[in-house]
Short mmCIF file of all heavy atoms in Angstrom, two decimals:
data_model
loop_
_atom_site.label_atom_id
_atom_site.label_comp_id
_atom_site.label_asym_id
_atom_site.label_seq_id
_atom_site.Cartn_x
_atom_site.Cartn_y
_atom_site.Cartn_z
N SER A 1 106.20 46.96 133.16
CA SER A 1 106.57 46.53 134.51
C SER A 1 107.26 47.59 135.34
O SER A 1 107.11 47.63 136.55
CB SER A 1 107.46 45.30 134.44
OG SER A 1 108.64 45.58 133.71
N VAL A 2 108.07 48.45 134.71
CA VAL A 2 108.84 49.40 135.50
C VAL A 2 109.14 50.64 134.68
O VAL A 2 109.08 50.63 133.46
CB VAL A 2 110.18 48.79 135.98
CG1 VAL A 2 109.97 47.76 137.06
CG2 VAL A 2 110.93 48.17 134.82
N ASP A 3 109.47 51.73 135.35
CA ASP A 3 109.85 52.97 134.69
C ASP A 3 111.36 53.00 134.53
O ASP A 3 112.09 52.84 135.51
CB ASP A 3 109.39 54.16 135.52
CG ASP A 3 109.32 55.43 134.72
OD1 ASP A 3 110.07 55.54 133.74
OD2 ASP A 3 108.50 56.30 135.05
N ILE A 4 111.85 53.18 133.30
CA ILE A 4 113.28 53.06 133.06
C ILE A 4 113.89 54.33 132.46
O ILE A 4 114.99 54.30 131.92
CB ILE A 4 113.59 51.89 132.13
CG1 ILE A 4 112.81 52.01 130.81
CG2 ILE A 4 113.28 50.57 132.81
CD1 ILE A 4 113.25 51.04 129.76
N THR A 5 113.21 55.45 132.53
CA THR A 5 113.74 56.67 131.93
C THR A 5 115.10 57.02 132.51
O THR A 5 115.25 57.16 133.72
CB THR A 5 112.77 57.84 132.17
OG1 THR A 5 111.49 57.50 131.65
CG2 THR A 5 113.27 59.09 131.48
N GLY A 6 116.10 57.16 131.65
CA GLY A 6 117.41 57.63 132.09
C GLY A 6 118.52 56.62 131.96
O GLY A 6 118.30 55.44 131.74
N THR A 7 119.72 57.12 132.10
CA THR A 7 120.90 56.30 131.88
C THR A 7 121.42 55.61 133.13
O THR A 7 122.29 54.76 133.05
CB THR A 7 122.03 57.17 131.29
OG1 THR A 7 122.30 58.25 132.18
CG2 THR A 7 121.64 57.73 129.93
N ALA A 8 120.92 55.98 134.30
CA ALA A 8 121.37 55.32 135.54
C ALA A 8 120.89 53.87 135.57
O ALA A 8 119.82 53.55 135.05
CB ALA A 8 120.86 56.07 136.75
N ARG A 9 121.67 52.99 136.17
CA ARG A 9 121.32 51.58 136.26
C ARG A 9 120.24 51.38 137.32
O ARG A 9 120.39 51.79 138.47
CB ARG A 9 122.57 50.76 136.59
CG ARG A 9 122.39 49.25 136.55
CD ARG A 9 122.03 48.73 135.18
NE ARG A 9 123.04 48.96 134.18
CZ ARG A 9 124.01 48.09 133.90
NH1 ARG A 9 124.11 46.96 134.55
NH2 ARG A 9 124.87 48.35 132.95
N ASP A 10 119.13 50.73 136.91
CA ASP A 10 118.01 50.45 137.81
C ASP A 10 117.94 48.96 138.09
O ASP A 10 118.38 48.14 137.28
CB ASP A 10 116.69 50.91 137.20
CG ASP A 10 116.70 52.39 136.86
OD1 ASP A 10 117.23 53.16 137.67
OD2 ASP A 10 116.18 52.76 135.79
N GLY A 11 117.35 48.58 139.23
CA GLY A 11 117.21 47.18 139.58
C GLY A 11 115.77 46.74 139.56
O GLY A 11 114.87 47.47 139.99
N HIS A 12 115.52 45.53 139.03
CA HIS A 12 114.17 45.02 138.89
C HIS A 12 114.12 43.55 139.31
O HIS A 12 115.05 42.78 139.04
CB HIS A 12 113.68 45.09 137.44
CG HIS A 12 114.15 46.28 136.68
ND1 HIS A 12 113.59 47.52 136.83
CD2 HIS A 12 115.13 46.42 135.75
CE1 HIS A 12 114.21 48.38 136.03
NE2 HIS A 12 115.14 47.74 135.37
N LEU A 13 113.01 43.16 139.91
CA LEU A 13 112.69 41.76 140.15
C LEU A 13 111.35 41.46 139.50
O LEU A 13 110.37 42.20 139.71
CB LEU A 13 112.58 41.46 141.65
CG LEU A 13 113.87 41.40 142.47
CD1 LEU A 13 113.54 41.17 143.94
CD2 LEU A 13 114.79 40.30 141.97
N LEU A 14 111.29 40.43 138.69
CA LEU A 14 110.06 40.01 138.04
C LEU A 14 109.78 38.56 138.43
O LEU A 14 110.61 37.69 138.22
CB LEU A 14 110.19 40.14 136.52
CG LEU A 14 109.08 39.54 135.66
CD1 LEU A 14 107.73 40.18 135.97
CD2 LEU A 14 109.41 39.69 134.18
N TYR A 15 108.59 38.33 138.99
CA TYR A 15 108.18 37.00 139.41
C TYR A 15 107.16 36.44 138.42
O TYR A 15 106.21 37.14 138.06
CB TYR A 15 107.56 37.03 140.81
CG TYR A 15 108.46 37.57 141.89
CD1 TYR A 15 108.52 38.94 142.14
CD2 TYR A 15 109.25 36.71 142.65
CE1 TYR A 15 109.36 39.45 143.13
CE2 TYR A 15 110.08 37.22 143.65
CZ TYR A 15 110.12 38.59 143.87
OH TYR A 15 110.96 39.09 144.86
N LEU A 16 107.35 35.20 137.99
CA LEU A 16 106.40 34.51 137.12
C LEU A 16 105.90 33.26 137.83
O LEU A 16 106.71 32.46 138.31
CB LEU A 16 107.05 34.12 135.79
CG LEU A 16 107.61 35.24 134.91
CD1 LEU A 16 108.26 34.64 133.67
CD2 LEU A 16 106.51 36.22 134.51
N TYR A 17 104.58 33.08 137.87
CA TYR A 17 103.99 31.96 138.58
C TYR A 17 103.30 31.02 137.59
O TYR A 17 102.35 31.40 136.91
CB TYR A 17 102.98 32.46 139.62
CG TYR A 17 103.58 33.44 140.60
CD1 TYR A 17 103.43 34.81 140.44
CD2 TYR A 17 104.33 32.98 141.69
CE1 TYR A 17 104.00 35.70 141.34
CE2 TYR A 17 104.89 33.87 142.59
CZ TYR A 17 104.72 35.22 142.41
OH TYR A 17 105.29 36.12 143.31
N PHE A 18 103.81 29.80 137.47
CA PHE A 18 103.28 28.74 136.61
C PHE A 18 103.19 29.15 135.13
O PHE A 18 102.19 28.91 134.47
CB PHE A 18 101.90 28.30 137.11
CG PHE A 18 101.94 27.58 138.43
CD1 PHE A 18 101.80 28.29 139.62
CD2 PHE A 18 102.15 26.22 138.49
CE1 PHE A 18 101.86 27.63 140.84
CE2 PHE A 18 102.21 25.55 139.71
CZ PHE A 18 102.07 26.26 140.90
N PRO A 19 104.24 29.76 134.56
CA PRO A 19 104.17 30.16 133.16
C PRO A 19 104.20 28.97 132.19
O PRO A 19 103.65 29.07 131.09
CB PRO A 19 105.41 31.03 132.97
CG PRO A 19 106.38 30.53 134.00
CD PRO A 19 105.53 30.16 135.18
N PHE A 20 104.84 27.86 132.59
CA PHE A 20 104.94 26.72 131.68
C PHE A 20 103.68 25.85 131.71
O PHE A 20 103.38 25.14 130.76
CB PHE A 20 106.17 25.86 132.02
CG PHE A 20 106.50 24.84 130.97
CD1 PHE A 20 107.17 25.20 129.81
CD2 PHE A 20 106.14 23.51 131.14
CE1 PHE A 20 107.47 24.27 128.83
CE2 PHE A 20 106.44 22.57 130.16
CZ PHE A 20 107.11 22.94 129.01
N THR A 21 102.93 25.93 132.81
CA THR A 21 101.69 25.19 132.93
C THR A 21 100.62 25.81 132.03
O THR A 21 100.54 27.03 131.91
CB THR A 21 101.20 25.19 134.39
OG1 THR A 21 102.24 24.67 135.22
CG2 THR A 21 99.95 24.36 134.55
N ALA A 22 99.80 24.97 131.42
CA ALA A 22 98.74 25.46 130.53
C ALA A 22 97.59 26.04 131.35
O ALA A 22 96.51 25.46 131.47
CB ALA A 22 98.26 24.35 129.63
N SER A 23 97.85 27.19 131.95
CA SER A 23 96.86 27.90 132.76
C SER A 23 97.22 29.38 132.72
O SER A 23 98.24 29.76 132.15
CB SER A 23 96.87 27.40 134.21
OG SER A 23 98.12 27.61 134.81
N ALA A 24 96.38 30.23 133.29
CA ALA A 24 96.69 31.65 133.36
C ALA A 24 97.98 31.85 134.14
O ALA A 24 98.23 31.17 135.14
CB ALA A 24 95.55 32.41 134.01
N THR A 25 98.83 32.78 133.69
CA THR A 25 100.12 33.05 134.33
C THR A 25 100.03 34.34 135.13
O THR A 25 99.74 35.40 134.59
CB THR A 25 101.23 33.19 133.27
OG1 THR A 25 101.34 31.96 132.56
CG2 THR A 25 102.56 33.51 133.93
N SER A 26 100.31 34.27 136.43
CA SER A 26 100.35 35.45 137.28
C SER A 26 101.76 36.02 137.32
O SER A 26 102.74 35.27 137.23
CB SER A 26 99.89 35.11 138.70
OG SER A 26 98.56 34.65 138.71
N THR A 27 101.87 37.33 137.45
CA THR A 27 103.18 37.98 137.47
C THR A 27 103.21 39.08 138.53
O THR A 27 102.17 39.63 138.91
CB THR A 27 103.52 38.61 136.12
OG1 THR A 27 102.72 39.78 135.90
CG2 THR A 27 103.28 37.65 134.97
N ARG A 28 104.41 39.40 138.97
CA ARG A 28 104.61 40.57 139.82
C ARG A 28 106.01 41.12 139.57
O ARG A 28 106.96 40.35 139.45
CB ARG A 28 104.47 40.23 141.30
CG ARG A 28 104.58 41.47 142.19
CD ARG A 28 104.63 41.15 143.66
NE ARG A 28 104.71 42.37 144.46
CZ ARG A 28 105.05 42.37 145.75
NH1 ARG A 28 105.33 41.25 146.37
NH2 ARG A 28 105.11 43.52 146.42
N SER A 29 106.13 42.43 139.48
CA SER A 29 107.44 43.04 139.30
C SER A 29 107.62 44.17 140.32
O SER A 29 106.67 44.89 140.63
CB SER A 29 107.62 43.58 137.89
OG SER A 29 106.69 44.60 137.62
N VAL A 30 108.84 44.29 140.84
CA VAL A 30 109.17 45.34 141.79
C VAL A 30 110.44 46.01 141.30
O VAL A 30 111.41 45.34 140.94
CB VAL A 30 109.39 44.78 143.20
CG1 VAL A 30 109.73 45.91 144.17
CG2 VAL A 30 108.16 44.02 143.68
N GLU A 31 110.45 47.34 141.29
CA GLU A 31 111.60 48.09 140.80
C GLU A 31 112.09 49.10 141.82
O GLU A 31 111.31 49.74 142.52
CB GLU A 31 111.22 48.83 139.52
CG GLU A 31 112.34 49.70 138.97
CD GLU A 31 111.82 50.98 138.33
OE1 GLU A 31 110.68 51.37 138.61
OE2 GLU A 31 112.58 51.60 137.57
N ALA A 32 113.40 49.22 141.90
CA ALA A 32 114.03 50.32 142.61
C ALA A 32 114.65 51.22 141.54
O ALA A 32 115.60 50.82 140.87
CB ALA A 32 115.10 49.81 143.56
N TRP A 33 114.09 52.39 141.38
CA TRP A 33 114.49 53.30 140.30
C TRP A 33 115.37 54.42 140.84
O TRP A 33 115.14 54.93 141.94
CB TRP A 33 113.23 53.86 139.65
CG TRP A 33 113.46 54.68 138.42
CD1 TRP A 33 114.38 54.47 137.44
CD2 TRP A 33 112.73 55.84 138.03
NE1 TRP A 33 114.27 55.43 136.46
CE2 TRP A 33 113.26 56.28 136.80
CE3 TRP A 33 111.67 56.55 138.61
CZ2 TRP A 33 112.78 57.40 136.14
CZ3 TRP A 33 111.18 57.65 137.93
CH2 TRP A 33 111.73 58.06 136.71
N SER A 34 116.35 54.82 140.06
CA SER A 34 117.30 55.83 140.52
C SER A 34 116.69 57.21 140.63
O SER A 34 117.26 58.11 141.25
CB SER A 34 118.48 55.88 139.55
OG SER A 34 118.03 56.25 138.26
N GLY A 35 115.52 57.42 140.01
CA GLY A 35 114.89 58.73 140.06
C GLY A 35 115.51 59.72 139.10
O GLY A 35 115.86 60.84 139.46
N TYR A 36 115.68 59.33 137.86
CA TYR A 36 116.24 60.18 136.83
C TYR A 36 115.45 61.48 136.75
O TYR A 36 114.23 61.48 136.73
CB TYR A 36 116.22 59.46 135.48
CG TYR A 36 116.71 60.26 134.32
CD1 TYR A 36 118.06 60.58 134.19
CD2 TYR A 36 115.84 60.68 133.32
CE1 TYR A 36 118.52 61.31 133.12
CE2 TYR A 36 116.30 61.39 132.23
CZ TYR A 36 117.63 61.71 132.14
OH TYR A 36 118.08 62.41 131.06
N ASN A 37 116.15 62.64 136.71
CA ASN A 37 115.51 63.96 136.71
C ASN A 37 114.64 64.16 137.95
O ASN A 37 113.68 64.90 137.95
CB ASN A 37 114.66 64.19 135.46
CG ASN A 37 115.51 64.57 134.26
OD1 ASN A 37 116.66 64.98 134.41
ND2 ASN A 37 114.96 64.42 133.07
N ASN A 38 114.98 63.45 139.03
CA ASN A 38 114.12 63.48 140.20
C ASN A 38 114.99 63.09 141.41
O ASN A 38 115.58 62.03 141.41
CB ASN A 38 112.99 62.47 140.03
CG ASN A 38 111.89 62.71 141.02
OD1 ASN A 38 111.84 63.72 141.70
ND2 ASN A 38 110.98 61.77 141.10
#
């Protein structure tokens, strides 16, 4: 879902759509990364 290389604290949002329902589960994740070594 996201790139986590490094010791800086990164923020992530992960969305799950209908995971408990017996159907295909859609997902989306968005990350704000600190840019370790960058």
